[in-house]
Amino acid sequence: QRRKIAELFVKQVQLALEGKSPFTPIAVPQQEAMQQWLSEFPDFAMRSQGLGDLSIFHDWKRICAQHPAHRVYIWSLDKHLASHDRRPS
């Protein structure tokens, strides 16, 4: 069962990478962006959030700016990430 779920996950990620999915893979940050994220990380850590969460949050903000006419949300079971759901105005 674990393998089957992993294979379904791989298929969804591949579709996202090909632009054939409603989901968008996160971007790899450049050094300047990573420096900024690291300066913000202690505040995130105090809320029991990791660097991965911080990178997902920043990518969500980037995608919101790129697609102002679309709903942009973080699909996650983590409540603090799933709470980021921006609907077009």
Side-chain angles (χ1 to χ4, degrees):
Q1 186 176 19
R2 185 180 304 263
R3 181 169 187 87
K4 183 178 179 180
I5 297 301
E7 289 171 348
L8 289 171
F9 175 76
V10 167
K11 182 167 179 60
Q12 288 301 312
V13 172
Q14 288 172 330
L15 289 171
L17 291 171
E18 296 168 2
K20 299 177 182 175
S21 168
F23 303 107
T24 303
I26 65 170
V28 178
Q30 298 296 320
Q31 183 175 355
E32 185 176 312
M34 181 58 82
Q35 291 290 346
Q36 179 187 350
W37 295 4
L38 290 173
S39 70
E40 297 173 36
F41 177 63
D43 292 335
F44 265 67
M46 292 302 296
R47 296 189 303 259
S48 299
Q49 298 177 26
L51 189 59
D53 295 339
L54 180 61
S55 67
I56 291 168
F57 170 71
H58 275 284
D59 216 50
W60 173 78
K61 287 183 6 182
R62 179 186 63 78
I63 294 169
C64 285
Q66 286 179 338
H67 303 283
H70 293 87
R71 178 182 180 201
V72 180
Y73 64 98
I74 298 174
W75 181 51
S76 175
L77 296 177
D78 293 338
K79 290 180 184 177
H80 64 277
L81 290 175
S83 67
H84 297 291
D85 185 354
R86 200 276 332 258
R87 297 181 185 272
S89 52

